[in-house]
Amino acid sequence: MKRIIYLTYFWLIVMPFFFVSTILTALTVIAGCLLGGERFFSFYPGMIWSKLTCMIALCPVKIRGREHLKRRQSYIFVANHQSAFDIFLIYGYLGYPIKWMMKAGLARIPFVGTACRSAGFIFVNHSSPRAALRSIAEAKRRLKDGASLLVFPEGSRTIDGQMGRFRKGAFQVAADQQLPVVPITLNGTFRVLPVGSLQAHPHRIEMIIHPPILIDKQTLAETGGLQNLTNHTRDIVASALREVHR
């Protein structure tokens, strides 16, 4: 009975709210960034939209590890990717301005794609090596402007809840720019909205922010190179995953 009540609530209340708030947020971001307020409008409207989405979906949020972050420091944030709800959890509760690296296909979503471009987010194109290099070059340019990046190094959402292997792209950018990588573990979002499902579940969601890893020549030498560092970071993320998803 509780399940039927929540699904009714989700489709009659949550989804209409989500569609309307998404369009309003996108329009606000587009207008604000066009007027020269990219630093503010690329972050705060999305943060509010994300928090409201988590709240109205009845998903309690728990955050650990914010004390590891220093203001005015650029980071490469890397997180496991369990669900579309990962976006709301990170955007709403990380508390740190970020630029997203996202799939190129998302640029085609009405309003959202335009808003993301206006906010300076980076669309990653894996159609060819040259296109991928252009995406990395854009990420480096954003970092030089003092931004931080958020990357899902698995490349896509998990299908079965198990974490996939990490790609090296984000770590290469961090190594080239001599910036810290911050591993992030997300728990519970797979239970809220698994990939391919239209049936949401209210569930407690959690974000664990691990201590930054400084990527420099010494770190690379100690860990045995970029691939080993990538694997080491994945192990850190996995260490805080709930047992069922390890």
Side-chain angles (χ1 to χ4, degrees), residues 174-175 178-180 213-223 229:
Q178 300 279 288
L179 288 175
I213 305 169
L214 181 61
I215 308 299
D216 55 21
K217 291 181 180 179
Q218 180 179 347
T219 305
L220 290 173
E222 290 174 352
T223 56
L229 178 64

Side-chain angles (χ1 to χ4, degrees), residues 114-189:
T114 304
C116 290
R117 288 194 185 281
S118 300
F121 298 167
I122 301 133
F123 293 101
V124 181
N125 189 338
H126 292 295
S127 61
S128 69
R130 181 175 294 181
L133 286 173
R134 282 199 299 267
S135 301
I136 291 175
E138 175 63 14
K140 291 179 179 178
R141 187 182 73 79
R142 288 290 171 183
L143 287 166
K144 287 179 181 178
D145 291 341
S148 290
L149 297 181
L150 189 289
V151 185
F152 293 119
E154 292 168 273
S156 60
R157 291 169 289 170
T158 177
I159 296 175
D160 58 5
Q162 305 304 306
M163 190 167 63
R165 71 177 185 87
F166 279 12
R167 296 176 177 175
K168 294 188 294 185
F171 302 91
Q172 184 64 64
V173 173
D176 291 344
Q177 301 299 310
Q178 300 279 288
L179 288 175
V181 168
V182 179
I184 293 177
T185 303
L186 306 177
N187 282 311
T189 53

Side-chain angles (χ1 to χ4, degrees), residues 45-181:
M47 180 186 70
I48 295 169
W49 167 71
S50 297
K51 283 188 174 182
L52 289 174
T53 300
C54 290
M55 291 169 60
I56 199 168
L58 307 180
C59 294
V61 174
K62 182 179 180 181
I63 310 297
R64 289 192 280 157
R66 274 209 202 101
E67 67 275 8
H68 297 310
L69 304 180
K70 295 180 181 179
R71 289 292 174 188
R72 299 190 180 129
Q73 167 69 55
S74 290
Y75 294 107
I76 308 289
F77 295 98
V78 296
N80 59 306
H81 201 4
Q82 291 192 338
S83 160
F85 244 79
D86 296 339
I87 295 169
F88 309 127
L89 178 55
I90 294 173
Y91 212 169
Y93 295 91
L94 180 61
Y96 206 93
I98 52 174
K99 302 294 186 184
W100 292 81
M101 292 190 73
M102 54 183 60
K103 287 184 175 181
L106 296 175
R108 296 192 292 269
I109 299 176
F111 297 104
V112 172
T114 304
C116 290
R117 288 194 185 281
S118 300
F121 298 167
I122 301 133
F123 293 101
V124 181
N125 189 338
H126 292 295
S127 61
S128 69
R130 181 175 294 181
L133 286 173
R134 282 199 299 267
S135 301
I136 291 175
E138 175 63 14
K140 291 179 179 178
R141 187 182 73 79
R142 288 290 171 183
L143 287 166
K144 287 179 181 178
D145 291 341
S148 290
L149 297 181
L150 189 289
V151 185
F152 293 119
E154 292 168 273
S156 60
R157 291 169 289 170
T158 177
I159 296 175
D160 58 5
Q162 305 304 306
M163 190 167 63
R165 71 177 185 87
F166 279 12
R167 296 176 177 175
K168 294 188 294 185
F171 302 91
Q172 184 64 64
V173 173
D176 291 344
Q177 301 299 310
Q178 300 279 288
L179 288 175
V181 168

